[in-house]
Amino acid sequence: MTWTAEDIQHWLKQFADQIHEHKDELTDLDQKIGDGDHGINMARGVKEMNKLFDEKTFATPGELFKAVAMVYIGKIGGASGPLYGSAMMKMASSAGTQETLSDKELIDALKAGKTAIEQRGKASVGEKTMVDVWVPLLQKFDGSDVDWNAFSDEADELKAKTKEMHAKKGRAAYLGARSVGHIDPGSASSALFFQTLAATARERG
Amino acid sequence: MDRVSLVFVSHSADIVKGIKALLYEMQPEVNIAVAGGEEDGGIGTNAMDIQQAIDTVYTDKGTVILFDLGSALLNAELAIDMAGDERLVKIADAPILEGGYAAVVEAGFGSSVDKVVDAAEKARSMRKIPQD
């Protein structure tokens, strides 16, 4: 499909709805292996993002990504704020001043976001972080002729795979082997991010 | 004398407030700014707050950041990136209190940013109980 700023806004509003719906679940996962505030932090960030959407309209996807980046950095806090915020910032640069994005261009922007997350978090695949969803998912779907059902399923499976991983980053790393058996909360919110993207593509494409 | 300034970043507003008070007694001539906790009073760190803290004490002599745990580093690095390349701001890989203590002493002598970072990082291996 062709993504306008409004389509992207629709996606991110769905993401916000899902974060609110899964807020307790995210916090619960984070209480098991982190500092227990992921649901609260994400909910605070997306609530502020929705406020931004109520007040302002955006001419381009790039402009929207940039404004959302500043909200995430300022309002989510923790490690997720700089990680999601840096991703959005790089997505804004990748999208540039184009009025619309093709699926391929949107996936390219997400890949730029993925690189920002890897660099900011200094994390690699297999360390039980959001990288374990972002990297393999965007490796598998390069943007030409995306099967959005498969995309959504893959995001969910990648999230589930973090359950058996041994955490190497963040507060969970202090738990060592005791982190095994719990899904990584950052991967869980990332799955919602990509699943709502796929849902928007199916609904509007 | 122009001195390197310090920024302390913690998940807790109380921790950095206490560190600032303690170090002010030690060396009142070094400018210290702090960024601690979330805006709602909760525990956490925030890149915007860190950027503001840097702004309040930054001079051309440079600024050194000391931080407490994990995500404080991510947010400090992001704050530096947002401020742009032309500023001389470095992060010390040091325990926040002992490193801060060493940093404020070194900065008080008018030393460079690199020397202040070095002094803070040496605090990592300092014994606290005398060995005989």
Side-chain angles (χ1 to χ4, degrees):
Chain A
M1 69 178 272
T2 305
W3 297 81
T4 63
E6 198 277 324
D7 292 321
I8 304 234
Q9 184 169 316
H10 180 81
W11 155 35
L12 292 174
K13 277 185 174 173
Q14 310 262 315
F15 175 53
D17 289 346
Q18 288 297 307
I19 289 290
H20 286 304
E21 206 178 308
H22 294 270
K23 182 180 163 187
D24 293 341
E25 186 189 320
L26 293 172
T27 291
D28 192 46
L29 289 174
D30 200 27
Q31 265 160 2
K32 293 197 170 87
I33 59 168
D35 50 4
D37 58 6
H38 190 57
I40 298 159
N41 287 350
M42 291 303 293
R44 188 173 55 217
V46 296
K47 189 177 161 201
E48 202 66 23
M49 175 183 76
N50 277 346
K51 252 194 238 169
L52 172 80
F53 290 158
D54 289 341
E55 289 162 6
K56 215 172 167 268
T57 50
F58 299 92
T60 65
E63 203 182 291
L64 184 149
F65 287 142
K66 194 172 174 195
V68 171
M70 297 316 280
V71 169
Y72 284 0
I73 291 167
K75 298 292 171 184
I76 297 178
S80 306
L83 292 168
Y84 275 105
S86 299
M88 282 283 167
M89 199 66 96
K90 290 291 181 220
M91 286 167 68
S93 318
S94 172
T97 55
Q98 282 176 249
E99 277 181 31
T100 60
L101 301 176
S102 64
D103 282 346
K104 170 96 174 70
E105 286 163 338
L106 180 60
I107 296 270
D108 283 345
L110 288 163
K111 282 183 179 169
K114 171 214 76 171
T115 304
I117 290 172
E118 290 174 290
Q119 287 169 349
R120 179 74 58 211
K122 300 174 192 77
S124 328
V125 169
E127 296 184 325
K128 200 180 183 95
T129 71
M130 63 199 289
V131 163
D132 290 309
V133 172
W134 283 71
V135 171
L137 183 67
L138 296 169
Q139 229 159 38
K140 187 160 177 179
F141 297 90
D142 68 356
S144 40
D145 208 14
V146 184
D147 175 347
W148 291 107
N149 283 317
F151 184 92
S152 189
D153 291 347
E154 182 73 14
D156 200 47
E157 277 169 35
L158 288 166
K159 170 194 85 176
K161 274 189 192 165
T162 64
K163 190 170 176 179
E164 296 314 316
M165 290 178 186
H166 187 143
K168 302 277 189 333
K169 285 281 181 298
R171 207 74 62 90
Y174 289 96
L175 293 172
R178 280 165 293 177
S179 66
V180 175
H182 305 287
I183 287 172
D184 168 57
S187 295
S189 62
S190 295
L192 297 175
F193 182 80
F194 289 115
Q195 285 172 315
T196 49
L197 168 70
T200 303
R202 284 194 308 248
E203 192 185 318
R204 298 193 157 189
Chain B
M1 182 174 29
D2 207 9
R3 293 181 175 85
V4 167
S5 52
L6 305 178
V7 168
F8 288 85
V9 180
S10 167
H11 282 63
S12 154
D14 290 336
I15 286 178
V16 280
K17 192 177 159 212
I19 289 176
K20 186 179 173 178
L22 193 156
L23 298 185
Y24 181 79
E25 247 192 27
M26 181 75 196
Q27 172 49 282
E29 284 165 336
V30 172
N31 284 322
I32 296 176
V34 301
E38 291 289 352
E39 62 180 4
D40 55 9
I43 294 290
T45 59
N46 186 304
M48 302 285 191
D49 291 347
I50 299 168
Q51 199 187 13
Q52 271 178 17
I54 296 169
D55 282 345
T56 60
V57 292
Y58 186 79
T59 64
D60 289 344
K61 185 90 178 178
T63 298
V64 174
I65 300 179
L66 288 109
F67 67 97
D68 63 355
L69 299 167
S71 65
L73 175 62
L74 299 192
N75 278 306
E77 287 174 340
L78 180 55
I80 292 175
D81 287 355
M82 289 192 302
D85 291 340
E86 62 279 6
R87 283 189 162 185
L88 179 60
V89 182
K90 291 201 172 170
I91 303 173
D93 183 3
I96 190 165
L97 179 56
E98 283 84 351
Y101 198 89
V104 82
V105 170
E106 192 66 40
F109 296 136
S111 304
S112 68
V113 157
D114 286 335
K115 277 189 119 172
V116 172
V117 168
D118 198 43
E121 294 187 348
K122 278 199 179 111
R124 251 184 329 197
S125 54
M126 205 174 67
R127 299 298 300 242
K128 293 169 79 172
I129 300 176
Q131 309 289 305
D132 24 51

